[in-house]
């Protein structure tokens, strides 16, 4: 017993104390970022795990804390549109697109991929010639970035491969004792990550559907391409890894197959497997709650989640993208 306790004590000593901040003491959180520490913070999409984007050793800590593969680049978050031009080399050929998009959608759930400027550390871009930049809508996020006075590199605040953190408690679950600070706020309004739009190509290409729908983008730019699975792997390194997956096995039922859910419920019941059915009846609540639903299933030790597909219109496209990635089995009819 004694040695067990000592071992645990030693491990605890190696953990750090994670400080919790709120809107009223953002200054403390910003100071940690300036010192090269990690601070998780809310955005309208999901919580982000932030570091000073110009400090390579701070950025490295993100990869360690998340156990994230080093070849998966990060999004740089800014608080003023003009800061984009310090980070990205917006050529004259891309200027019109960038102006239209930032006028229409920033601050908001849209990440732009552009050629990088050379002072951006390789750790942020995973050595790519391009860089991802976003100006979040969340006032708290923008205030924190302003107070830090530097651009903030931030992936979603979750252990690599797990559903993104959309609640303060998710971030605490994954990072308590592993990062210097967390800014506590309400659940993320959108609950799904930003739309990633590649502007380095001849036609603007959606690499990851997200909180801003493709139909909104099409109102501003006439031609938008949706990248197919294969192209995604080449262009957006993050796409090749397992994502958004709870420990539970996710079985996704396409619309035509939803009537088969009871059959599967019976099948697993007979085998004594703890099963839960997820049938969204309201897409807005569903996108906001999806990652909480997946995480809750793990907490409740659910072994199999039977999930009904939603229509792929607007934010439904993003919901289905995430569900397909978290699914181990897809039932078509
Ligand atoms: O809503 C969001 O985007 C959240 C919040 C915190 O802003 N962030 C987020 O970051 O989802 P992360 O790291 O989980 O996802 C970033 C995605 C990854 O798929 C990554 O591969 C892609 O953006 N990405 C980043 N830089 C890229 C680049 N230069 N070229 C292509 N894809 C890039
Ligand atoms: Mg992520």
């Amino acid at each position: 017993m004694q040695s067990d306790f000592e071992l645990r004590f030693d491990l605890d000593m190696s953990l750090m104390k994670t400080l919790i901040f709120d809107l009223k003491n953002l200054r403390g959180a910003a100071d940690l970022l300036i010192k090269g520490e990690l601070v998780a913070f809310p955005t309208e999409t999901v919580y982000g795990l932030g570091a000073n984007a110009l400090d390579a050793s701070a950025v490295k800590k993100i990869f360690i804390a998340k156990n994230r593969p080093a070849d998966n680049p990060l999004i740089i978050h800014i608080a003023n549109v003009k800061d984009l031009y310090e980070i990205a080399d917006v050529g004259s050929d891309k200027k019109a697109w960038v102006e239209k998009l930032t006028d229409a959608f920033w601050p908001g759930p849209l990440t732009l991929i552009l050629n990088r400027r050379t002072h951006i550390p390789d750790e942020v871009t995973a050595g790519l010639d391009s860089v991802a930049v976003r100006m979040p809508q969340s006032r708290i996020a923008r205030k924190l970035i302003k107070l830090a006075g530097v651009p903030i590199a931030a992936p979603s605040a979750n252990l690599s491969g797990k559903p993104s953190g959309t609640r303060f408690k998710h971030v605490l679950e994954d990072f308590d004792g592993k990062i210097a600070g967390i800014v506590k706020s309400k659940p993320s309004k959108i609950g799904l990550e930003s739309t990633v739009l590649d502007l380095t190509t001849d036609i603007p290409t959606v690499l990851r559907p997200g909180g801003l729908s493709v139909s909104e983008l099409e109102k501003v730019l006439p031609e938008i391409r949706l990248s197919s699975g294969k192209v995604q792997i080449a262009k957006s390194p993050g796409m090749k890894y397992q994502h958004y997956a709870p420990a539970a096995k996710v079985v996704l039922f396409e619309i035509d197959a939803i009537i088969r859910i009871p059959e599967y419920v019976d099948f697993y019941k007979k085998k004594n497997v703890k099963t839960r059915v997820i049938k969204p009846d309201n897409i807005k609540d569903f996108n906001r709650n999806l990652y909480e639903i997946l995480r809750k299933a793990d907490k409740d030790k659910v072994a199999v989640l039977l999930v009904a597909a939603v229509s792929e219109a607007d934010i439904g496209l993003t919901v289905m993208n995430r569900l397909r990635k978290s699914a181990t089995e897809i039932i078509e009819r």
Side-chain angles (χ1 to χ4, degrees), residues 102-124:
T102 55
D103 282 355
F105 303 120
W106 276 12
L110 173 67
T111 294
L112 300 178
I113 309 285
L114 288 154
N115 287 332
R116 70 188 274 197
R117 289 205 179 273
T118 49
H119 70 282
I120 301 300
D122 277 335
E123 283 76 4
V124 174

Side-chain angles (χ1 to χ4, degrees), residues 80 145 266 327:
N80 295 297
I145 300 164
D266 280 350

Side-chain angles (χ1 to χ4, degrees), residues 45 68 72-73 75 77 130 134 155-156 193-194 208 235-236 238:
T45 57
R68 180 180 175 106
N72 191 4
I75 298 171
H77 297 69
S130 58
R134 172 164 114 82
S156 51
E193 303 79 356
S194 63
R208 176 178 75 181
K235 282 297 293 196
S236 198

Side-chain angles (χ1 to χ4, degrees), residues 51 54 68 78 83 91 97 142 150 200 207 228 230 234 326 330:
L54 305 178
R68 180 180 175 106
I78 57 175
D83 295 344
W97 286 353
R142 277 184 284 142
V150 288
T200 66
L207 298 180
S228 71
K230 270 194 187 131
S326 65
I330 298 180

Side-chain angles (χ1 to χ4, degrees), residues 243-255:
H243 271 93
Y244 320 110
K249 167 178 170 162
V250 175
V251 183
L252 175 63
F253 293 78
E254 297 287 6
I255 305 241

Side-chain angles (χ1 to χ4, degrees), residues 9 16 21 46 74 88 133 135 146 163 228 294 297 311:
F9 189 67
M16 63 173 92
F21 300 92
V46 299
L74 306 176
V133 187
M135 178 174 168
K146 274 191 191 145
S228 71
L294 298 181
S311 144

